[in-house]
């Protein structure tokens, strides 16, 4: 394979990538997208985790009181709540370690 064949192949790959990029940019509207408010996103995530915890608690209580026989649904809801809480804690730990790194930077 010669150098000119490699450069032609690279050029065609770049053109194909550009062609594939255009519909994605138009679909996602990156240029006109409004900025995301961090505090609203954080509150939304916290509300979602809290809702999952409440649903799991309700299902477990219903099974415990004999109001429901959906033991599998209760266990699945509890696992979902546990996973979402664990993920939230990992994100919190990453944010705190990043904040600590910023605070350690010399001015």
């Amino acid at each position: 394979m010669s150098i000119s064949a490699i450069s032609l192949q690279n050029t065609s790959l770049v053109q194909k990538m550009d062609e594939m990029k255009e519909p994605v940019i138009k679909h996602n509207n990156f240029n006109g997208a409004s900025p995301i408010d961090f505090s609203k996103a954080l509150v939304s995530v916290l509300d979602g985790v809290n809702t999952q915890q409440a649903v799991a608690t309700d299902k477990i209580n219903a099974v415990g009181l004999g109001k429901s026989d959906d033991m599998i649904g209760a266990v699945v809801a509890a696992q979902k709540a546990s996973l979402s809480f664990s993920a939230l804690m990992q994100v919190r730990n990453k944010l705190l370690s990043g904040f600590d790194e910023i605070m350690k930077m010399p001015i």
Side-chain angles (χ1 to χ4, degrees), residues 14-107:
V14 170
Q15 289 172 345
K16 286 180 184 179
M17 289 170 53
D18 286 338
E19 290 170 5
M20 291 176 6
K21 177 176 69 171
E22 291 301 321
V24 172
I25 289 174
K26 288 179 184 175
H27 179 266
N28 290 330
N29 194 16
F30 289 123
N31 296 332
S34 62
I36 297 172
D37 187 13
F38 181 75
S39 63
K40 288 180 183 177
L42 187 61
V43 168
S44 172
V45 169
L46 290 173
D47 286 342
V49 171
N50 188 38
T51 301
Q52 286 182 343
Q53 293 281 342
V55 167
T57 301
D58 290 342
K59 286 186 177 187
I60 290 171
N61 287 340
V63 169
L65 294 174
K67 295 179 181 177
S68 173
D69 60 350
D70 187 20
M71 181 65 129
I72 294 173
V75 171
V76 168
Q79 287 297 316
K80 283 183 182 179
S82 176
L83 285 173
S84 64
F85 186 75
S86 295
L88 179 67
M89 289 297 100
Q90 289 178 9
V91 169
R92 180 200 66 135
N93 292 340
K94 287 288 185 181
L95 286 172
L96 287 177
S97 67
F99 181 75
D100 287 341
E101 290 292 322
I102 290 172
M103 294 305 291
K104 289 179 186 176
M105 287 182 178
I107 296 177

